[in-house]
Amino acid sequence: ALHESRARSLESVGAKVAHEIKNPLAAIAGLVQLLARGKHDDKTLERLRVIESEVGRIESVVRDYLAFSRPLEVVTVASTPLAGIADDVLALLDARAHKRGVTLRREGDGVADADAQRLKEALLNVIDNAVDASPSGAEVLVRASVADGVAGFVVTDHGSGIAADVLARVGTPYFTTKPSGTGLGIVLARAVLQQHGGRLDIESDPRRGTVVTLTWPATPAARESEAP
């Protein structure tokens, strides 16, 4: 009990520190971007770009930590079109995918009870990983569906896949194969699905790519029937 109490205290302190760091970082990033617009020699411009890149990296870590540490019991569930959630996420990632030469596509639809904002966060992390794993010219497909009381998204990529030993560790906090990753994306996504009474499953083949399935009971009645 003492260990759990201390762990909760440390999480609270960590979240407060991350929140306090976030605003100064935003100010630094803004000032660096402003400086970079001026006239400078090539060496100074390169240094400013490095500063901007590293500040962005720190901001990403802080953002992921805050999302991870946010209390998961705070949920606002409403009847939500799944196509709208998927399309919003794809719009956010469109520029990044285009830069990598990856096409994003959505199929399917359906309406289910969900916290739209939380599911967007979960789906964003999953599709972002799929874009990272995809080679230029590949497609990332997102299928939305509601059937037999179960709502879900299936995200399919044709990237390099995940080796079995690595797949066993995916979803462990701070485990990542990305040079600038935090390892919290899938942890957060899985927590959001569990919060909805659902689950997140990953199947991967290094020769074919990866399929991530996010499912949850589509209605309160379905959740009650699935409750242990």
Side-chain angles (χ1 to χ4, degrees):
L2 286 171
H3 283 306
E4 288 178 0
S5 176
R6 179 157 178 78
R8 283 194 295 269
S9 296
L10 287 172
E11 287 174 5
S12 177
V13 169
K16 288 176 182 176
V17 169
H19 185 75
E20 290 300 320
I21 289 172
K22 184 177 68 171
N23 291 336
L25 279 175
I28 292 168
L31 288 171
V32 171
Q33 290 168 0
L34 187 63
L35 284 171
R37 294 175 189 168
K39 293 182 179 180
H40 303 284
D41 58 78
D42 292 343
K43 194 169 185 179
T44 300
L45 276 175
E46 181 59 29
R47 287 171 176 169
L48 288 171
R49 290 192 190 100
V50 170
I51 295 171
E52 184 179 357
S53 174
E54 292 304 302
V55 169
R57 185 176 171 187
I58 298 170
E59 283 184 313
S60 177
V61 172
V62 170
R63 184 173 58 250
D64 284 352
Y65 181 81
L66 285 171
F68 177 62
S69 62
R70 184 185 304 149
L72 288 174
E73 63 268 22
V74 181
V75 184
T76 304
V77 174
S79 183
T80 307
L82 302 191
I85 293 176
D87 290 346
D88 285 351
V89 172
L90 294 184
L92 286 171
L93 292 173
D94 183 65
R96 187 165 181 276
H98 180 75
K99 187 176 180 180
R100 294 182 59 88
V102 176
T103 302
L104 302 177
R105 184 162 63 94
R106 188 264 304 169
E107 288 183 351
D109 199 350
V111 177
D113 282 357
D115 184 318
Q117 188 56 43
R118 287 298 174 87
L119 279 174
K120 283 179 187 177
E121 291 176 359
L123 194 60
L124 179 67
N125 281 294
V126 172
I127 299 175
D128 190 43
N129 286 344
V131 171
D132 273 344
S134 299
S136 179
E139 177 185 80
V140 173
L141 175 62
V142 184
R143 290 189 181 93
S145 66
V146 178
D148 300 324
V150 178
F153 296 105
V154 179
V155 179
T156 304
D157 71 61
H158 301 284
S160 54
I162 307 170
D165 58 330
V166 176
L167 184 58
R169 300 182 65 189
V170 170
T172 303
Y174 302 107
F175 170 76
T176 180
T177 57
K178 297 180 183 180
S180 59
T182 62
L184 293 177
I186 292 299
V187 177
L188 171 65
R190 185 162 278 155
V192 169
L193 268 297
Q194 289 173 347
Q195 181 186 23
H196 281 73
R199 56 187 293 165
L200 182 149
D201 297 297
I202 305 173
E203 296 179 13
S204 191
D205 185 331
R207 297 165 297 178
R208 298 179 183 176
T210 302
V211 178
V212 181
T213 305
L214 303 82
T215 55
W216 70 97
T219 63
R223 279 195 288 278
E224 289 169 8
S225 68
E226 292 293 327

